[in-house]
């Protein structure tokens, strides 16, 4: 975890030292705590929850015909629960864990659509899927994509863009009993950001659809009930609404809808709402 944080801050420092970049960055800490005395009769137990995050973006028109857009998102949170029988605090469990970095190069040809090439790194700080061993920064998904993109809206208050093209993915898992896989297919991404009046609130939405056309494990899966699962379209839809009460306190509401047939036959849904500290460092 420390290595990822150091590398992230080094990446931010590189952008800060470069001229001409349009930079934005916020960090936040949301905390919730409760405590119950020994004679509390309703059976509740004390808890302490926290979520920390860093959201950094850097954009620059490198050339008249080339735009570079980069974003880094780090999120981590835990819940600490008190055992209601012994009053001992149990081992914390994760509530949020996310590492995302994406670099997008857009060839701005001022045509109806513009070519693009992108790279995305996605992982988590701690992999606790194996009760015998906790892994750092595992598993890792690398995505290289290319195709065409279009901005439908782009100004100081709103931005709406979509891109469509081919994508290659590598799934890297450092657990000895899990093989690494790769696949390729088609990807569609739509991003929408809006800042409301006086910049007291903003809303971000991102929808990613991915249809695999090739999978390195297809031969091994042939003849099994799961042989066609990888062919179904993956969905990742994220939404975040943030309202700033003042310069340091905000209210955040976020949702994420995931569908991956190889993981679950049903869609997976996550919702978080919190009040906490926020600091805009750029």
């Amino acid at each position: 975890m420390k290595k990822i944080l150091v590398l992230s801050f080094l990446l931010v420092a590189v952008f800060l030292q470069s001229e001409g970049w349009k930079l934005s960055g916020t960090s936040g800490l949301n905390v919730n705590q409760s405590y119950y005395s020994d004679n509390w009769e309703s059976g509740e137990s004390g808890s302490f929850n926290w979520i920390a995050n860093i959201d950094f973006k850097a954009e620059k028109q490198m050339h008249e015909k080339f735009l570079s857009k980069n974003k880094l998102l780090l999120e981590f949170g835990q819940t600490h629960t008190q055992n209601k029988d012994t009053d001992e605090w149990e081992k914390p469990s994760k509530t949020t864990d996310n590492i995302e970095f994406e670099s997008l190069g857009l060839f701005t040809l001022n045509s109806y659509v513009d070519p693009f090439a992108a790279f995305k790194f996605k992982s988590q700080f701690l992999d606790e899927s194996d009760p015998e061993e906790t892994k750092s920064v595992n598993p890792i998904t690398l995505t290289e994509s290319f195709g065409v993109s279009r901005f439908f809206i782009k100004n100081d208050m709103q931005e709406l863009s979509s891109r469509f093209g081919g994508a290659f993915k590598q799934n890297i898992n450092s657990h000895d009993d899990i093989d690494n896989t790769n696949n390729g297919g088609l990807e569609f991404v739509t991003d929408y950001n809006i800042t409301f009046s006086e910049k007291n609130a903003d809303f971000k939405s991102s929808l990613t659809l991915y249809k695999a056309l090739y999978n390195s494990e297809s031969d091994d899966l042939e003849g099994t009930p799961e042989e066609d699962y990888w062919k179904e379209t993956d969905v990742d839809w994220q939404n975040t609404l943030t309202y700033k009460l003042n310069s340091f306190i905000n209210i955040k509401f976020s949702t994420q809808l995931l569908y991956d047939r190889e993981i679950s036959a049903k869609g997976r849904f996550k919702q978080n709402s919190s009040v906490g500290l926020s600091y805009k460092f750029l």
Side-chain angles (χ1 to χ4, degrees):
M1 187 187 303
K2 291 181 179 179
K3 291 181 180 179
I4 290 295
L5 290 174
V6 170
L7 289 173
S8 300
F9 285 120
L10 286 176
L11 179 64
V12 172
V14 169
F15 285 114
L16 290 175
Q17 294 298 320
S18 304
E19 296 182 357
W21 287 92
K22 181 182 177 182
L23 306 174
S24 64
T26 58
S27 60
L29 176 64
N30 300 312
V31 176
N32 180 39
Q33 183 270 335
S34 63
Y35 169 78
Y36 297 90
S37 62
D38 295 341
N39 57 353
W40 192 265
E41 296 181 357
S42 299
E44 294 91 343
S45 59
S47 64
F48 178 77
N49 311 312
W50 65 273
I51 298 175
N53 66 81
I54 294 176
D55 189 351
F56 174 76
K57 295 181 180 179
E59 179 179 329
K60 183 179 181 179
Q61 191 74 40
M62 309 291 291
H63 182 271
E64 180 183 354
K65 297 188 181 299
F66 185 77
L67 173 67
S68 177
K69 298 184 66 176
N70 304 271
K71 59 182 180 181
L72 172 68
L73 177 62
L74 305 175
E75 298 176 300
F76 190 79
Q78 291 181 320
T79 295
H80 302 253
T81 305
Q82 187 179 26
N83 188 300
K84 58 185 178 182
D85 296 321
T86 65
D87 288 338
E88 297 288 335
W89 288 89
E90 299 177 349
K91 181 181 177 181
S93 59
K94 286 195 306 179
T95 53
T96 299
D97 193 354
N98 188 34
I99 303 172
E100 286 187 32
F101 172 73
E102 184 178 60
S103 182
L104 171 69
L106 184 65
F107 297 89
T108 50
L109 306 180
N110 296 319
S111 56
Y112 183 76
V113 293
D114 295 321
F116 79 89
F119 169 78
K120 186 172 184 178
F121 173 97
K122 183 175 177 62
S123 186
Q124 57 183 354
F125 287 100
L126 298 176
D127 177 11
E128 300 175 336
S129 58
D130 185 348
E132 302 296 327
E133 183 181 16
T134 297
K135 293 279 189 176
S136 298
V137 194
N138 187 70
I140 294 172
T141 300
L142 305 177
T143 305
E144 305 87 29
S145 57
F146 58 92
V148 293
S149 176
R150 177 174 173 79
F151 283 100
F152 298 98
I153 304 173
K154 186 172 176 58
N155 54 51
D156 291 339
M157 303 296 288
Q158 290 188 77
E159 183 176 301
L160 173 63
S161 65
S162 293
R163 63 181 192 261
F164 174 77
F168 297 96
K169 289 189 176 185
Q170 299 83 48
N171 301 302
I172 304 168
N173 196 319
S174 60
H175 285 298
D176 295 337
D177 59 340
I178 300 179
D179 295 327
N180 300 329
T181 63
N182 58 79
N183 57 75
L186 301 175
E187 185 178 63
F188 173 78
V189 180
T190 292
D191 292 314
Y192 178 63
N193 303 324
I194 181 171
T195 300
F196 297 102
S197 60
E198 299 180 359
K199 298 185 177 181
N200 286 334
D202 61 73
F203 174 73
K204 301 176 183 179
S205 182
S206 178
L207 173 65
T208 301
L209 305 176
Y210 176 72
K211 169 69 174 178
L213 302 177
Y214 160 79
N215 189 302
S216 62
E217 291 190 314
S218 59
D219 291 340
D220 296 333
L221 294 171
E222 208 171 303
T224 69
E226 300 85 15
E227 66 175 325
D228 292 328
Y229 286 2
W230 64 270
K231 297 180 182 180
E232 296 196 24
T233 301
D234 297 340
V235 180
D236 184 355
W237 186 24
Q238 303 181 42
N239 298 279
T240 302
L241 175 64
T242 304
Y243 179 74
K244 302 175 184 177
L245 296 176
N246 54 43
S247 300
F248 298 101
I249 300 177
N250 67 28
I251 300 172
K252 181 179 288 188
F253 180 84
S254 62
T255 64
Q256 183 177 20
L257 176 64
L258 292 171
Y259 177 75
D260 186 336
R261 185 65 177 88
E262 294 178 277
I263 297 176
S264 174
K266 298 181 179 180
R268 292 169 288 152
F269 181 76
K270 179 177 74 173
Q271 179 268 319
N272 287 320
S273 56
S274 60
V275 178
L277 299 176
S278 176
Y279 177 66
K280 186 175 182 180
F281 55 87
L282 288 171

